Amino acid sequence: MPKKILAFAGSNSSTSINKQLTQFALSYFEGAEINLLDLNDFEMPLFSVDREQKEGYPEQAHSFLEAIGAADIIICSLAEHNRSYTTAFKNIFDWCSRIEVKLFQDKPMLLMSTSPGGYGGGNVMHTASTFFPQFAAQVLETFSLPSFNKNFANGTITDEALKTALEEKITAFKQQIAAMK
Ligand SMILES: Cc1cc2nc3c(=O)[nH]c(=O)nc-3n(C[C@H](O)[C@H](O)[C@H](O)COP(=O)(O)O)c2cc1C
């Protein structure tokens, strides 16, 4: 079992459905030390090359990278806005990538997404699962939960087949991590 988990939802919504899915996934990692970040704590000025040149890097970008560095694994669920990352996540991504292009620091990652739609954030999932490895994420397992409002209630996935599918991914994720040691 991984000892330290860095978790976040790729959303700044106080009622984030991706945070709810992240918390559900985290319930399968009992005993681990969990650092569940809120992207609101990493709000920075909009990235610009001019700002970067004049003012350097915001402290929050360094803190986000340090939080990743301190973890054994990453569990996250990305919200999808207009078929892509939310602005809140992308701004953090952009700032951090300028400090360290190996942003995810070779950490094993369980990558998820969900949305109220039937594709479950499949577009942002496609982008992230394709390109996060270029930023040094070891994306070991992915899971998209479709139609969140139909399939999730009271902190759990209510559709049995989808719940089993996530459980199988989490089991496979844990096995791969164990095999790395
Ligand atoms: C600006 C905006 C764009 C959106 N675009 C998409 C989209 O492209 N695909 C999708 O499945 N849902 C889209 N949605 C709906 C989000 O999936 C929904 O708001 C969801 O709750 C976001 O996740 P969160 O609650 O974790 O922030 C959009 C919502 C907003 C506010």
Side-chain angles (χ1 to χ4, degrees), residues 9-21 77-84 86-87 114-124 148-149:
S11 163
N12 61 0
S13 163
S14 63
T15 56
S16 170
I17 60 176
N18 284 279
K19 186 169 269 187
Q20 292 175 58
L21 179 60
S77 186
L78 299 181
E80 178 172 307
H81 280 183
N82 297 322
R83 308 295 184 256
S84 190
T86 63
T87 303
T114 190
S115 95
Y119 201 32
N123 298 293
V124 72
F148 179 88
N149 299 319

Side-chain angles (χ1 to χ4, degrees), residues 122-174:
N123 298 293
V124 72
M125 168 59 79
H126 176 72
T127 304
S129 58
T130 304
F131 296 115
F132 274 9
Q134 294 180 3
F135 299 88
Q138 290 193 60
V139 181
L140 299 185
E141 294 293 335
T142 64
F143 176 76
S144 288
L145 179 67
S147 308
F148 179 88
N149 299 319
K150 196 177 119 206
N151 294 319
F152 194 100
N154 302 319
T156 186
I157 296 177
T158 49
D159 180 281
E160 279 309 316
L162 289 166
K163 190 177 176 188
T164 302
L166 177 57
E167 285 172 350
E168 285 174 359
K169 301 247 172 165
I170 289 172
T171 301
F173 181 67
K174 287 178 181 173

Side-chain angles (χ1 to χ4, degrees):
M1 269 284 279
K3 286 196 196 89
K4 290 186 181 175
I5 302 176
L6 187 278
F8 65 88
S11 163
N12 61 0
S13 163
S14 63
T15 56
S16 170
I17 60 176
N18 284 279
K19 186 169 269 187
Q20 292 175 58
L21 179 60
T22 300
Q23 283 169 326
F24 176 63
L26 288 171
S27 70
Y28 289 88
F29 293 83
E30 215 175 305
E33 187 185 316
I34 292 166
N35 185 11
L36 176 56
L37 302 181
D38 182 337
L39 295 197
N40 288 296
D41 294 332
F42 298 87
E43 190 168 307
M44 295 174 263
L46 193 62
F47 176 83
S48 92
V49 287
D50 298 317
R51 201 168 266 143
E52 178 186 34
Q53 203 171 22
K54 282 195 207 119
E55 297 163 28
Y57 300 104
E59 192 48 45
Q60 294 97 319
H62 288 287
S63 303
F64 196 83
L65 287 167
E66 280 163 21
I68 292 174
D72 297 320
I73 64 165
I74 303 171
I75 295 180
C76 61
S77 186
L78 299 181
E80 178 172 307
H81 280 183
N82 297 322
R83 308 295 184 256
S84 190
Y85 305 119
T86 63
T87 303
F89 175 73
K90 185 63 164 49
N91 198 42
I92 295 168
F93 195 13
D94 287 351
W95 276 115
C96 289
S97 69
R98 298 291 281 183
I99 298 171
E100 174 56 73
V101 75
K102 292 184 173 180
L103 186 82
F104 297 111
Q105 302 169 55
D106 295 317
K107 308 292 174 176
M109 178 184 284
L110 170 61
L111 175 63
M112 301 181 291
S113 67
T114 190
S115 95
Y119 201 32
N123 298 293
V124 72
M125 168 59 79
H126 176 72
T127 304
S129 58
T130 304
F131 296 115
F132 274 9
Q134 294 180 3
F135 299 88
Q138 290 193 60
V139 181
L140 299 185
E141 294 293 335
T142 64
F143 176 76
S144 288
L145 179 67
S147 308
F148 179 88
N149 299 319
K150 196 177 119 206
N151 294 319
F152 194 100
N154 302 319
T156 186
I157 296 177
T158 49
D159 180 281
E160 279 309 316
L162 289 166
K163 190 177 176 188
T164 302
L166 177 57
E167 285 172 350
E168 285 174 359
K169 301 247 172 165
I170 289 172
T171 301
F173 181 67
K174 287 178 181 173
Q175 285 169 347
Q176 289 173 76
I177 294 163
M180 285 173 176
K181 287 172 185 159

